[in-house]
Amino acid sequence: MHIAIVGSGYVGLVAGACFADMGHQVILVDNDQQKLAALNSGQVPIHEKFLPELLERHRGRSLTFSDDLRAAVEASAAVFIAVGTPPTEQGHADLSYVESVARIIPSAINGYKVVVEKSTVPVYTSEWIRKIILRNAAPPDSFDVASNPEFLREGTAVTDFLYPDRIVVGADNERCAAVLRTIYAPLTGGSYYKRPDAIPGPDQAQIPPPLIITSTKSAELIKHACNAFLAMKISFINAVASVCESVGANVQQVCQGIGTDSRIGPRFLNPGIGYGGSCFPKDLMAFRAVARECGYEFRLLDEVIRINEDQRQRFLRKVHNALWTLRGKRLGVLGLAFKGGTDDIRESPAVLLVQTLLQEGCKVAAYDPAAQERAKEVLNSSIEYASDAYEAARGADALLILTEWDEFASLDLDRLHRELKYSIVIDGRNLYDPDSMAAHGFTYYSVGRPAAMPESVPVEAVVPPRKASHS
Ligand code: UGA
């Protein structure tokens, strides 16, 4: 099938590369000339496993890059809109990029087209896209608008796309649904997975994935509701972790106890320093705003957002409790990306924490395996950038773990101990076992678990947590 994808951001680029790998002919459209030149010259703009292989496989053959939206629409049966929907000041999704694409499509309609929303958009967007296309003189039966939300996570985007739990298609008639069914047939029919050159999937993959057909409005809601639910799960466990800290319980044990209830499940129950990234913070605000517009005050979401913000403050209090005053203290920081496996620092709780620590007068030496270049665009030379975890720890008053990179979970603890000025580790991602840290001579603070001290540290040195001002 001939497919146009408008917008070569995270979702557009991954979808384009994966559709090409599924056997489709894809034109990826963007108006950013620099980006197009980079893509054409073989650069891979995002850090994403398997993406370089896929681009190498299909670039210039079944995947081409262009700035000509009209020509791409003319050549395609389906047009996926994957442009950005950034938040406005009021927390709404800014849909002006979506609208400008919808305005151009009618002039290129030369046969039946399915226009597919791939960006995360509020409910009713498909109706607006339809109205805009009709307003610009497209015959009503020459196109349909479908919603096909994407559930990929950064870091595992390619395998999330090719091995999804499910594919959701919102289509209000069978003609339109049939086009999407054909596009996804290599996955839903299972043929993709039999190919020797198929990208390998995760162990637990559901093969073949089910295709769920809904109304377009339901599909739009599924995307927002899904992200809101996952963020709620994270805030819930962060709130439980706070209670654990107050009573001396261990959130890891609590997670094991509740995550094994098949109705709850163990995933997205990792407490930490709060969720970040380009999706959850923005989508929760947008979902709350759209609910309000439709007459429903979604107060549960207010609380999810509040707990998330509070989680960073709680972590800062731990740093204070461990070090007393912060001015002039040197801190080693592990992780700047908003989560492990990505170079993305958008809404990164790690970067927000570093900025606050700098305001408090700390000196920071940070290491991130992938996000350092991006972090430099925001933090400039306000911090030192280390070339590995041990260099970040060198001479530091304490080491903070802020991103859940796998490599941070398997450090040489004896070496780390030697590098630090004081052997204090404040772990915002619970990467280590407290007892083992104490056995290696560390004073170790984590989230929702009792602090651990080496035997040589007197009990009096364990400062009780300061009470949160709002609690
Ligand atoms: C999220 C969703 O997981 C995807 O399904 C969705 O497609 C995507 O948003 C989107 O809307 O485009 P992503 O933002 O890439 O994906 O990252 P997640 O893996 O969901 O992590 C989000 C944040 O939550 C990170 O800061 C992560 O560290 C944090 N997190 C995640 C926790 O604190 N605890 C957990 O148990 C899981």
Side-chain angles (χ1 to χ4, degrees):
M1 185 149 285
H2 287 257
I3 294 173
I5 299 183
V6 193
S8 65
Y10 229 99
V11 170
L13 186 57
V14 171
C18 291
F19 280 147
D21 207 45
M22 286 156 61
H24 300 300
Q25 194 64 42
V26 181
I27 306 174
L28 197 52
V29 182
D30 207 295
N31 53 14
D32 181 336
Q33 296 299 336
Q34 256 182 328
K35 215 170 187 184
L36 290 176
L39 286 166
N40 274 319
S41 69
Q43 289 176 37
V44 184
I46 50 176
H47 177 88
E48 199 60 58
K49 202 170 173 199
F50 298 122
L51 190 60
E53 287 94 315
L54 288 186
L55 292 179
E56 186 59 38
R57 236 184 239 184
H58 303 294
R59 182 187 298 111
R61 291 179 283 274
S62 49
L63 177 62
T64 55
F65 307 105
S66 165
D67 62 354
D68 190 343
L69 175 57
R70 273 193 193 87
V73 175
E74 277 171 12
S76 304
V79 182
F80 285 76
I81 303 180
V83 295
T85 53
T88 64
E89 294 264 302
Q90 294 75 36
H92 292 268
D94 176 355
L95 298 171
S96 52
Y97 299 112
V98 175
E99 182 177 351
S100 38
V101 174
R103 271 207 304 264
I104 294 172
I105 290 174
S107 63
I109 289 190
N110 55 351
Y112 177 66
K113 310 276 174 197
V114 175
V115 178
V116 192
E117 299 168 341
K118 198 70 170 152
S119 311
T120 301
V121 289
V123 66
Y124 288 123
T125 305
S126 64
E127 275 189 1
W128 270 108
I129 295 176
R130 185 165 183 84
K131 267 188 221 163
I132 297 298
I133 296 179
L134 287 173
R135 225 177 246 175
N136 286 277
D141 59 355
S142 66
F143 75 98
D144 276 305
V145 182
S147 166
N148 172 219
E150 190 44 64
F151 302 101
L152 54 82
R153 290 160 300 166
E154 293 187 18
T156 52
V158 168
T159 43
D160 284 345
F161 192 97
L162 293 169
Y163 295 84
D165 289 345
R166 77 306 200 188
I167 295 158
V168 172
V169 166
D172 293 328
N173 63 59
E174 184 42 42
R175 187 186 187 195
C176 168
V179 172
L180 271 304
R181 268 203 197 92
T182 309
I183 289 174
Y184 283 105
L187 303 187
T188 54
S191 62
Y192 178 79
Y193 309 110
K194 293 186 188 127
R195 278 177 23 196
D197 63 343
I199 294 293
D203 292 343
Q204 313 294 329
Q206 162 101 8
I207 296 176
L211 182 85
I212 300 172
I213 303 269
T214 68
S215 68
T216 43
K217 279 186 195 148
S218 298
E220 290 168 326
L221 269 176
I222 285 168
K223 173 66 194 185
H224 266 157
C226 191
N227 274 2
F229 192 90
L230 292 169
M232 179 183 75
K233 221 174 159 186
I234 297 169
S235 278
F236 179 83
I237 204 63
N238 280 333
V240 172
S242 301
V243 178
C244 287
E245 284 173 10
S246 308
V247 300
N250 182 328
V251 73
Q252 211 168 323
Q253 295 170 359
V254 176
C255 281
Q256 198 186 2
I258 62 177
T260 39
D261 186 322
S262 58
R263 293 167 300 176
I264 296 173
R267 296 172 75 191
F268 277 69
L269 275 187
N270 296 319
I273 51 173
Y275 59 77
S278 64
C279 303
F280 285 174
K282 158 178 91 74
D283 289 353
L284 258 80
M285 286 199 302
F287 195 26
R288 186 174 62 171
V290 79
R292 184 173 296 145
E293 241 170 44
C294 301
Y296 181 71
E297 278 300 330
F298 212 146
R299 292 206 179 86
L300 178 62
L301 299 185
D302 294 343
E303 197 53 23
V304 170
I305 294 167
R306 195 196 64 74
I307 293 170
N308 196 54
E309 282 161 7
D310 190 40
Q311 204 59 14
R312 282 199 307 277
Q313 298 311 317
R314 290 185 68 87
F315 186 81
L316 278 174
R317 283 199 291 277
K318 277 184 194 141
V319 181
H320 274 285
N321 288 335
L323 296 178
W324 189 22
T325 65
L326 293 187
R327 182 158 305 283
K329 296 261 163 81
R330 182 178 174 85
L331 300 175
V333 162
L334 298 188
L336 294 166
F338 83 96
K339 66 170 189 176
T342 176
D343 62 350
D344 199 339
I345 55 149
R346 286 175 289 175
E347 297 292 320
S348 167
V351 170
L352 294 170
L353 277 168
V354 166
Q355 285 169 328
T356 311
L357 291 165
L358 290 173
Q359 278 161 15
E360 298 215 19
C362 294
K363 294 191 187 84
V364 171
Y367 170 66
D368 189 288
Q372 262 168 223
E373 285 313 307
R374 289 192 185 227
K376 276 181 194 161
E377 291 163 20
V378 178
L379 297 168
N380 307 311
S381 54
S382 60
I383 65 166
E384 285 168 37
Y385 298 91
S387 57
D388 61 28
Y390 306 101
E391 191 184 318
R394 197 158 300 153
D397 290 86
L399 184 72
L400 315 187
I401 303 179
L402 302 184
T403 304
E404 68 277 40
W405 279 99
D406 286 347
E407 69 170 77
F408 296 161
S410 53
L411 296 172
D412 175 343
L413 294 178
D414 295 328
R415 183 169 169 203
L416 197 64
H417 194 271
R418 284 196 301 277
E419 297 286 6
L420 281 163
K421 181 169 160 195
Y422 298 112
S423 47
I424 299 171
V425 174
I426 309 167
D427 181 356
R429 299 294 191 163
N430 286 2
L431 297 189
Y432 285 94
D433 171 53
D435 291 340
S436 139
M437 289 302 274
H440 278 88
F442 290 98
T443 298
Y444 177 73
Y445 302 90
S446 56
V447 183
R449 302 182 300 177
M453 311 287 149
E455 270 177 17
S456 56
V457 175
V459 177
E460 296 78 49
V462 184
V463 184
R466 282 199 300 196
K467 269 231 159 101
S469 51
H470 62 268
S471 57

